Amino acid sequence: STPSLTPSLPPSDLASYLFPLVDTDQFVHGICTTGISFPAAISSDPNLVYTEVPNWTNGMKMWDDRDYKAENIQGSEMCEGGIYLRPSLHKSVSRYTKIEFSGMLELNSPSSLCVFLMESDGRTGRWDQILPAEGFVVSSIFSWGGGMGQMRSYCKSMS
Protein backbone atom coordinates (compact mmCIF):
# COMPACT_ATOMS: atom_id res chain seq x y z
CA SER A 1 0.00 0.00 0.00
CA THR A 2 1.00 3.58 -0.55
CA PRO A 3 2.09 5.48 2.57
CA SER A 4 -0.25 8.25 3.57
CA LEU A 5 0.94 11.81 3.10
CA THR A 6 -1.45 12.97 5.82
CA PRO A 7 0.25 12.78 9.21
CA SER A 8 -1.79 11.17 11.94
CA LEU A 9 -1.81 13.23 15.12
CA PRO A 10 -2.30 11.77 18.57
CA PRO A 11 -5.48 12.82 20.37
CA SER A 12 -5.05 16.16 22.07
CA ASP A 13 -4.33 16.03 25.77
CA LEU A 14 -4.19 19.79 26.29
CA ALA A 15 -6.97 21.36 28.33
CA SER A 16 -7.53 25.09 28.05
CA TYR A 17 -10.24 27.61 28.80
CA LEU A 18 -10.44 31.34 28.09
CA PHE A 19 -12.62 32.95 30.75
CA PRO A 20 -14.95 35.86 29.98
CA LEU A 21 -13.42 39.30 30.48
CA VAL A 22 -13.75 40.47 34.09
CA ASP A 23 -16.74 42.82 34.09
CA THR A 24 -16.75 44.36 37.59
CA ASP A 25 -14.53 47.02 39.19
CA GLN A 26 -13.25 44.53 41.79
CA PHE A 27 -12.92 40.79 41.29
CA VAL A 28 -12.50 38.17 44.04
CA HIS A 29 -11.75 34.68 42.73
CA GLY A 30 -9.66 31.53 42.86
CA ILE A 31 -8.98 28.76 40.32
CA CYS A 32 -8.64 25.06 41.15
CA THR A 33 -8.31 21.90 39.08
CA THR A 34 -8.37 18.12 39.41
CA GLY A 35 -7.08 15.49 37.00
CA ILE A 36 -4.89 18.03 35.18
CA SER A 37 -1.09 18.13 35.32
CA PHE A 38 0.96 21.32 34.96
CA PRO A 39 -2.05 23.61 35.48
CA ALA A 40 -1.43 27.30 34.86
CA ALA A 41 -3.41 30.50 34.60
CA ILE A 42 -2.23 33.68 32.95
CA SER A 43 -3.81 37.12 32.94
CA SER A 44 -3.52 40.34 30.96
CA ASP A 45 -2.88 42.19 34.26
CA PRO A 46 0.87 42.03 35.02
CA ASN A 47 0.10 42.21 38.76
CA LEU A 48 -2.22 39.18 38.67
CA VAL A 49 -0.20 35.97 38.72
CA TYR A 50 -1.04 32.52 40.06
CA THR A 51 0.90 30.20 42.39
CA GLU A 52 0.35 26.44 42.11
CA VAL A 53 -0.60 24.94 45.50
CA PRO A 54 -1.32 21.16 45.77
CA ASN A 55 -3.96 19.42 47.91
CA TRP A 56 -6.55 22.21 48.21
CA THR A 57 -8.45 21.94 51.49
CA ASN A 58 -9.54 23.80 54.64
CA GLY A 59 -7.07 26.21 56.21
CA MET A 60 -5.25 27.08 52.99
CA LYS A 61 -4.41 30.69 52.20
CA MET A 62 -6.60 31.97 49.36
CA TRP A 63 -4.66 35.02 48.07
CA ASP A 64 -1.03 36.13 48.20
CA ASP A 65 -1.87 39.65 49.41
CA ARG A 66 -4.20 38.58 52.26
CA ASP A 67 -4.03 36.04 55.09
CA TYR A 68 -7.62 34.82 54.61
CA LYS A 69 -7.96 31.04 54.77
CA ALA A 70 -10.57 28.72 53.25
CA GLU A 71 -13.20 27.06 55.47
CA ASN A 72 -15.88 24.39 54.90
CA ILE A 73 -14.25 22.90 51.78
CA GLN A 74 -16.06 19.61 51.11
CA GLY A 75 -15.72 17.18 48.24
CA SER A 76 -15.04 17.36 44.52
CA GLU A 77 -17.67 20.07 43.96
CA MET A 78 -15.31 22.39 45.85
CA CYS A 79 -12.16 20.91 44.27
CA GLU A 80 -11.03 19.34 47.57
CA GLY A 81 -7.62 17.69 47.08
CA GLY A 82 -7.08 19.48 43.76
CA ILE A 83 -4.39 21.92 42.69
CA TYR A 84 -5.21 25.49 43.67
CA LEU A 85 -3.92 28.31 41.50
CA ARG A 86 -3.71 30.99 44.17
CA PRO A 87 -4.14 34.53 42.80
CA SER A 88 -1.62 37.18 43.82
CA LEU A 89 -4.46 39.69 44.24
CA HIS A 90 -7.49 39.40 46.55
CA LYS A 91 -9.75 41.97 44.85
CA SER A 92 -7.75 44.63 42.99
CA VAL A 93 -8.24 43.07 39.56
CA SER A 94 -9.08 45.57 36.83
CA ARG A 95 -12.25 45.47 34.78
CA TYR A 96 -11.72 43.79 31.36
CA THR A 97 -8.80 41.69 32.61
CA LYS A 98 -8.38 38.55 30.47
CA ILE A 99 -7.67 35.25 32.28
CA GLU A 100 -6.82 31.97 30.57
CA PHE A 101 -6.32 28.48 32.02
CA SER A 102 -4.30 25.62 30.53
CA GLY A 103 -2.92 22.24 31.56
CA MET A 104 -2.43 18.64 30.45
CA LEU A 105 -5.25 16.14 30.87
CA GLU A 106 -4.21 13.10 32.91
CA LEU A 107 -4.96 9.81 31.17
CA ASN A 108 -7.87 7.77 32.53
CA SER A 109 -8.65 10.39 35.15
CA PRO A 110 -11.73 12.60 35.40
CA SER A 111 -10.66 16.22 35.16
CA SER A 112 -12.33 19.44 36.14
CA LEU A 113 -11.70 23.16 36.18
CA CYS A 114 -13.22 25.09 39.09
CA VAL A 115 -13.49 28.80 39.79
CA PHE A 116 -14.32 30.21 43.21
CA LEU A 117 -16.56 33.30 43.10
CA MET A 118 -18.16 35.49 45.75
CA GLU A 119 -21.66 34.43 46.76
CA SER A 120 -23.40 37.66 47.62
CA ASP A 121 -21.52 40.76 46.57
CA GLY A 122 -20.83 42.30 43.18
CA ARG A 123 -17.16 41.28 42.93
CA THR A 124 -17.77 38.30 40.63
CA GLY A 125 -16.60 39.71 37.29
CA ARG A 126 -20.16 38.75 36.22
CA TRP A 127 -18.76 35.23 35.77
CA ASP A 128 -21.48 33.91 38.10
CA GLN A 129 -23.99 34.96 35.42
CA ILE A 130 -22.00 33.60 32.43
CA LEU A 131 -20.26 30.37 33.52
CA PRO A 132 -23.36 28.20 34.20
CA ALA A 133 -24.33 28.55 30.51
CA GLU A 134 -20.80 27.37 29.61
CA GLY A 135 -21.26 24.07 31.48
CA PHE A 136 -19.99 25.07 34.93
CA VAL A 137 -21.94 23.51 37.82
CA VAL A 138 -22.45 25.60 40.97
CA SER A 139 -21.60 24.20 44.44
CA SER A 140 -22.95 24.94 47.87
CA ILE A 141 -21.30 27.72 49.89
CA PHE A 142 -17.88 27.70 51.54
CA SER A 143 -16.32 30.58 53.43
CA TRP A 144 -13.04 32.35 54.17
CA GLY A 145 -11.67 34.73 56.78
CA GLY A 146 -13.66 33.37 59.73
CA GLY A 147 -16.91 33.67 57.78
CA MET A 148 -16.12 37.18 56.52
CA GLY A 149 -16.60 36.07 52.93
CA GLN A 150 -18.75 33.41 51.31
CA MET A 151 -18.00 31.81 47.95
CA ARG A 152 -19.31 29.15 45.62
CA SER A 153 -17.30 26.88 43.38
CA TYR A 154 -18.20 26.68 39.68
CA CYS A 155 -16.79 23.47 38.12
CA LYS A 156 -16.67 22.20 34.56
CA SER A 157 -15.58 18.77 33.35
CA MET A 158 -12.55 19.04 31.05
CA SER A 159 -12.25 15.40 29.92
Side-chain angles (χ1 to χ4, degrees):
S1 72
T2 310
S4 169
L5 297 176
T6 307
S8 69
L9 299 173
S12 173
D13 54 359
L14 177 67
S16 65
Y17 186 80
L18 178 60
F19 289 99
L21 294 178
V22 171
D23 197 16
T24 49
D25 290 330
Q26 291 185 338
F27 182 53
V28 178
H29 76 297
I31 299 173
C32 188
T33 185
T34 59
I36 296 178
S37 300
F38 311 108
I42 56 171
S43 87
S44 59
D45 179 343
N47 296 313
L48 177 59
V49 295
Y50 296 86
T51 302
E52 184 180 322
V53 182
N55 301 314
W56 169 250
T57 191
N58 293 310
M60 296 186 81
K61 184 174 171 173
M62 293 201 62
W63 300 278
D64 286 345
D65 64 346
R66 297 289 189 281
D67 286 325
Y68 303 138
K69 294 181 173 38
E71 301 148 3
N72 309 314
I73 300 297
Q74 297 174 348
S76 60
E77 71 165 1
M78 295 179 191
C79 198
E80 187 174 25
I83 297 173
Y84 184 53
L85 298 177
R86 186 176 61 223
S88 55
L89 302 172
H90 168 239
K91 63 183 178 182
S92 302
V93 178
S94 302
R95 187 183 288 261
Y96 308 125
T97 295
K98 180 172 121 179
I99 298 171
E100 186 170 9
F101 168 83
S102 65
M104 302 297 286
L105 293 172
E106 294 175 0
L107 292 176
N108 305 316
S109 176
S111 58
S112 64
L113 170 61
C114 301
V115 180
F116 306 145
L117 299 174
M118 291 300 293
E119 156 60 13
S120 58
D121 69 20
R123 301 179 295 175
T124 63
R126 295 175 49 94
W127 288 11
D128 57 330
Q129 298 169 37
I130 298 168
L131 295 183
E134 304 242 333
F136 285 80
V137 177
V138 185
S139 78
S140 51
I141 292 174
F142 71 93
S143 57
W144 52 263
M148 180 191 311
Q150 294 191 321
M151 301 185 98
R152 290 185 188 269
S153 178
Y154 293 70
C155 294
K156 176 183 179 76
S157 171
M158 299 297 285
S159 20

